[in-house]
Amino acid sequence: MGSSLVNVEGNVITSRRIDLLDANTEFLSAALPHELTHIVLKERFKAKSLPRWADEGVATLADSATKLCRHRQDLYAAIDNSTTFPAIAIMTMEAYPPPDRFGVFYGQSVSLAEYLVKKNGPHRFLEFMEEASNRGYDSALQQCYEIANTGELDRQWRSSLKRDRLDPSTGG
């Protein structure tokens, strides 16, 4: 387990801190890459913080394969129980969800981030996040992915998950 903290004054980062809790885990392959990703993202998005789903989703992409598999299992369980968030709900979430929804939050956040990164690459995803912060998600989706709106993103993302479950070699 770990946490990171970046202090920003104006448009200048004044300090960075990562705390790791070593509870018999291999922190170099577990928590450290995740927390370092938060730090790097904050370097890019100093003025406006990334939305929670994007920050956690991208950081979770740096997690171990084992941890990613657990997040995928949490997501598929939520899909099977019809307890996922609509894309717009998770994308506009300002606070973390209640603890009983952490599994689906992390699973869906990493899945959405991965879907968009795979679609047009990591640089385009960062452009998408910048555009979304300036003009909103629908405009950013149209400009960066040629997706009409968040409802259409939700539909395309869920369709890709169904394909991935049928063919696990695609990453599901």
Side-chain angles (χ1 to χ4, degrees), residues 3-172:
S3 65
S4 57
L5 176 66
V6 177
N7 289 313
V8 180
E9 292 180 17
N11 203 22
V12 176
I13 292 182
T14 58
S15 67
R16 299 164 192 84
R17 177 181 174 153
I18 294 177
D19 293 310
L20 300 172
L21 176 63
D22 182 12
N24 295 324
T25 63
E26 295 182 28
F27 70 92
L28 288 176
S29 64
L32 186 57
H34 182 104
E35 298 308 328
L36 279 172
T37 303
H38 285 303
I39 299 288
V40 170
L41 287 170
K42 191 61 181 175
E43 285 284 339
R44 173 73 186 255
F45 296 93
K46 290 180 201 117
K48 268 190 172 175
S49 292
L50 275 175
R52 216 168 278 287
W53 77 272
D55 190 30
E56 291 298 348
V58 172
T60 303
L61 286 172
D63 285 347
S64 68
T66 301
K67 195 168 180 184
L68 284 168
C69 185
R70 285 195 306 263
H71 288 304
R72 192 171 289 113
Q73 289 170 347
D74 287 342
L75 174 60
Y76 288 149
I79 290 169
D80 292 344
N81 294 323
S82 299
T83 57
T84 56
F85 297 98
I88 190 63
I90 202 163
M91 294 169 91
T92 58
M93 196 177 287
E94 292 185 18
Y96 284 101
D100 66 329
R101 304 277 285 152
F102 279 1
V104 66
F105 169 78
Y106 276 91
Q108 191 167 348
S109 293
V110 71
S111 181
L112 274 170
E114 181 179 43
Y115 175 76
L116 291 170
V117 167
K118 282 182 175 179
K119 192 166 184 65
N120 285 3
H123 294 300
R124 196 65 167 164
F125 179 79
L126 295 174
E127 291 171 9
F128 163 69
M129 293 313 306
E130 287 174 359
E131 182 68 20
S133 74
N134 293 327
R135 296 202 174 126
Y137 282 114
D138 287 350
S139 175
L141 285 166
Q142 292 164 20
Q143 179 177 327
C144 298
Y145 296 102
E146 297 179 358
I147 296 174
N149 53 45
T150 55
E152 180 59 16
L153 169 64
D154 193 74
R155 188 196 66 71
Q156 289 182 21
W157 167 72
R158 289 175 192 277
S159 292
S160 77
L161 288 174
K162 287 178 186 171
R163 285 190 306 273
D164 290 351
R165 281 181 98 173
L166 294 174
D167 182 5
S169 69
T170 62

